[in-house]
Amino acid sequence: MSDLVLYLLVFGTLGGAFAGAAILVWFERRLLGIWQDRLGPNRVGPLGIGLALADIIKLFAKEDWVPPFADRFVFIFAPTAIVMAMLLGFTVVPYTSELHIADLNIALLFFLGMTSLAVYSVLLGGLASNNKYALLGGLRSAAQMVSYEVFMGLSLMGVVMLSGSFSLVDIVNAQAERGWFVISQFFGFVVFLIAGIAESHRLPFDLPEAEHELVAGFHTEYSGMKFGMFMLGEYLGLILISSMITTLFFGGWLGPGFLPPIFWFFFKTFILICFFILLRAGIPRPRYDQLMSFGWKVMLPLTLINLLVTGAVELWL
Amino acid sequence: MLLDMLSAIWSQLLTLAEVLKHTFTKADTVQYPEEMPYLAPRYRGRIVLTRDPDGHERCVACNLCAVACPVDCIALQKTEDEDGRWYPEFFRINFSRCIMCGMCEEACPTYSIQLTPDFEMCEYDRQNMVYEKEHLLISGQGKYPGYSFYNVAGKSIAGKDKGEALNESPPVDVRSLLP
Ligand code: SF4
Ligand code: SF4
């Protein structure tokens, strides 16, 4: 791959991710509207799409305020960290067999590491705000983290076993031979899906935010673009998790040949994003002790059993 | 326990399916400025003062509405014309305080004050929310056509003496002993 293509790809990913996140804010609200028998935002521009732009302008134009009681450095650092971590996660996403920024041989671990870093942003944001609601939000995010990070990584080990590689390109190529892993690794898929929702702090696992009980959770004290960065991080996380699920379980760019592979990749990602929004529309938020016991008592054993069975099948069959 | 879990998962899936079904239902939203919602004739909106069939003001300045009003937003002053009719010298409703409860309409003995199905009364200047009598008084009879308070009440005015009202018997002559 020539340097030019690489640069184009990097900036394309960057711009695409930002634009995607901005449009997603509008798209999610429209979709939620449809599912709640409303219309959703439809005033700004055709179908209300101008809302994405209006939202950005609003966020930039707002007063950028750091509360005097906050820990200034950490307070400013926290929102940048989440966006940085999420964007770094995008570097390993393979759009097609040729089109990817970096095909690391540890891509999967890199992705897990980056998304885990994003959690610190939430934690630090909650801690630095010096506000009781923010602190509770941060606390919940920590509790949530220890309960899903464990099985999130483990749930992917089945995929790694079947494909024999941590490289995402290899994993997709393995799916070309062995069928999509969503079938052979169904439990791994379910567990990773749930962990993914928790990772990106989306409903029903938006416990750190929980606007009905904690004002706005960890970003109570944030305003303007710093709040915007948290939002951006959340939507980037949503896109990232969806594209990772596509890659790991739905055969990435694989699909019938009449359309280019890149289309299949984005199509599957889009469907998954819609599914995430459906979850938000349909499922209530659990209490955080419920989430923890669910994670430790159901998800972890399930993952381990899945891992054992996969290993046994690989070894002896 | 396993059964409990499965049934819980099943119920979540059912929820999702139910929500997904709503993709195809029509939205309930009324797109207000383009699409006007139906307002019932008895809708409680902007308040008017009506006139009786002869075109006189119905209001007799009895102050009952002002007393009934829970937020005290009605102010008026009674005066009397040369015919002996009572009427308000000024009548003022502060719509920035009015809660459109309709208590004034219920209290009014003359059907004068009435609420109408109109709620579009926004103003940029709060002072413009204070309506005076010339803004409130309409030339029609509103919801109770044909009713005129003085035609059924015992009070004498010019052109209608005591005992001449509808369903009213002539006054008893207290100086006569005849039944
Ligand atoms: S509608 Fe209620 S609040 Fe308004 S003027 Fe009448 S009594 Fe007062
Ligand atoms: S509007 Fe009715 S209740 Fe109010 S002062 Fe006039 S007659 Fe009395």
Side-chain angles (χ1 to χ4, degrees):
Chain A
M1 195 162 34
S2 73
D3 275 357
L4 184 67
V5 176
L6 189 63
Y7 283 131
L8 277 181
L9 201 58
V10 169
F11 285 109
T13 307
L14 199 63
F18 282 149
I23 290 173
L24 213 53
V25 176
W26 163 80
F27 180 71
E28 174 169 37
R29 287 166 68 180
R30 280 307 296 237
L31 214 53
L32 284 177
I34 288 172
W35 282 325
Q36 295 168 354
D37 287 355
R38 302 182 282 116
L39 290 173
N42 64 348
R43 295 282 142 170
V44 201
L47 289 172
I49 183 91
L51 187 84
L53 198 66
D55 259 349
I56 297 173
I57 294 173
K58 180 197 76 175
L59 282 174
F60 270 111
K62 276 199 171 174
E63 187 187 357
D64 200 18
W65 188 67
V66 181
F69 45 81
D71 183 340
R72 202 181 162 82
F73 175 72
V74 184
F75 189 84
I76 296 172
F77 172 71
T80 36
I82 188 168
V83 177
M84 255 173 357
M86 288 299 178
L87 282 178
L88 280 174
F90 272 103
T91 51
V92 294
V93 175
Y95 304 117
T96 68
S97 50
E98 275 90 49
L99 221 53
H100 43 72
I101 296 175
D103 177 22
L104 307 177
N105 54 358
I106 48 144
L108 199 53
L109 295 181
F110 182 79
F111 157 77
L112 286 174
M114 283 306 135
T115 47
S116 307
L117 272 185
V119 177
Y120 284 103
S121 148
V122 174
L123 241 157
L124 291 177
L127 200 61
S129 299
N130 222 346
N131 165 310
K132 59 186 166 194
Y133 298 113
L135 185 64
L136 279 173
L139 176 82
R140 286 183 182 194
S141 119
Q144 191 170 323
M145 176 175 62
V146 295
S147 47
Y148 69 77
E149 284 284 343
V150 187
F151 60 79
M152 182 171 190
L154 281 177
S155 67
L156 294 180
M157 290 310 117
V159 171
V160 174
M161 256 187 235
L162 289 185
S163 54
S165 169
F166 276 112
S167 152
L168 293 174
V169 176
D170 288 351
I171 289 176
V172 178
N173 284 333
Q175 292 181 67
E177 295 157 25
R178 317 187 53 145
W180 292 1
F181 287 150
V182 66
I183 300 160
S184 43
Q185 278 294 314
F186 182 72
F187 289 106
F189 162 66
V190 171
V191 172
F192 184 71
L193 183 78
I194 292 171
I197 307 166
E199 179 79 53
S200 57
H201 302 297
R202 302 266 318 158
L203 267 147
F205 297 137
D206 70 335
L207 298 166
E209 190 176 333
E211 66 266 30
H212 308 113
E213 26 196 287
L214 291 186
V215 189
F218 64 94
H219 57 57
T220 305
E221 294 290 350
Y222 282 88
S223 65
M225 204 46 214
K226 287 210 225 32
F227 164 74
M229 297 276 253
F230 275 124
M231 283 293 276
L232 183 64
E234 182 184 322
Y235 283 96
L236 286 180
L238 175 64
I239 303 174
L240 183 58
I241 294 286
S242 305
S243 48
M244 278 322 266
I245 296 177
T246 307
T247 309
L248 293 169
F249 295 101
F250 288 93
W253 62 81
L254 304 173
F258 58 88
L259 283 166
I262 186 115
F263 166 81
W264 289 112
F265 178 82
F266 285 117
F267 178 69
K268 290 174 197 170
T269 309
F270 175 74
I271 296 289
L272 276 166
I273 289 176
C274 292
F275 179 71
F276 275 112
I277 298 175
L278 177 67
L279 285 180
R280 172 170 185 174
I283 305 223
R285 176 190 308 125
R287 272 200 329 258
Y288 88 94
D289 61 307
Q290 286 171 334
L291 176 65
M292 284 183 83
S293 65
F294 177 70
W296 286 104
K297 291 183 194 158
V298 182
M299 285 328 222
L300 188 60
L302 194 66
T303 319
L304 292 175
I305 293 170
N306 177 43
L307 211 56
L308 280 177
V309 172
T310 312
V313 168
E314 274 297 281
L315 210 54
W316 293 308
L317 289 184
Chain B
M1 182 189 150
L2 199 66
L3 219 61
D4 278 359
M5 243 162 62
L6 285 180
S7 85
I9 292 171
W10 179 238
S11 104
Q12 300 292 325
L13 290 179
L14 276 186
T15 312
L16 288 185
E18 196 59 40
V19 173
L20 200 57
K21 262 196 238 158
H22 280 258
T23 318
F24 305 105
T25 49
K26 212 177 140 296
D28 292 328
T29 314
V30 178
Q31 304 217 54
Y32 159 59
E34 291 101 48
E35 199 184 320
M36 292 304 284
Y38 168 72
L39 296 181
R42 299 201 304 181
Y43 188 90
R44 300 196 307 258
R46 182 171 54 87
I47 296 173
V48 294
L49 292 175
T50 55
R51 292 175 187 273
D52 66 17
D54 310 326
H56 296 296
E57 283 173 44
R58 269 181 176 158
C59 178
V60 295
C62 68
N63 263 312
L64 282 178
C65 53
V67 171
C69 179
V71 293
D72 278 349
C73 66
I74 304 180
L76 65 139
Q77 171 73 55
K78 177 230 150 189
T79 186
E80 201 173 331
D81 67 4
E82 61 277 12
D83 289 347
R85 284 171 167 270
W86 289 21
Y87 71 97
E89 191 181 355
F90 67 82
F91 198 108
R92 186 176 296 144
I93 298 184
N94 183 351
F95 277 109
S96 64
R97 276 165 74 182
C98 174
I99 54 174
M100 307 295 178
C101 64
M103 295 290 183
C104 47
E105 180 173 356
E106 285 188 37
C108 182
T110 66
Y111 292 145
S112 164
I113 194 164
Q114 291 180 10
L115 281 80
T116 56
D118 171 24
F119 58 89
E120 294 174 316
M121 38 197 308
C122 301
E123 298 286 350
Y124 283 104
D125 189 353
R126 183 168 297 218
Q127 205 52 41
N128 295 343
M129 296 292 284
V130 179
Y131 281 41
E132 296 292 341
K133 193 162 95 176
E134 70 253 37
H135 310 124
L136 294 166
L137 203 59
I138 61 170
S139 48
Q141 305 179 37
K143 278 179 257 188
Y144 305 95
Y147 178 81
S148 168
F149 175 73
Y150 282 108
N151 284 353
V152 293
K155 174 146 173 53
S156 68
I157 50 171
K160 191 215 83 171
D161 212 347
K162 277 203 188 298
E164 290 173 9
L166 251 57
N167 303 328
E168 194 186 19
S169 10
V172 177
D173 183 359
V174 290
R175 292 189 182 79
S176 159
L177 286 174
L178 294 175

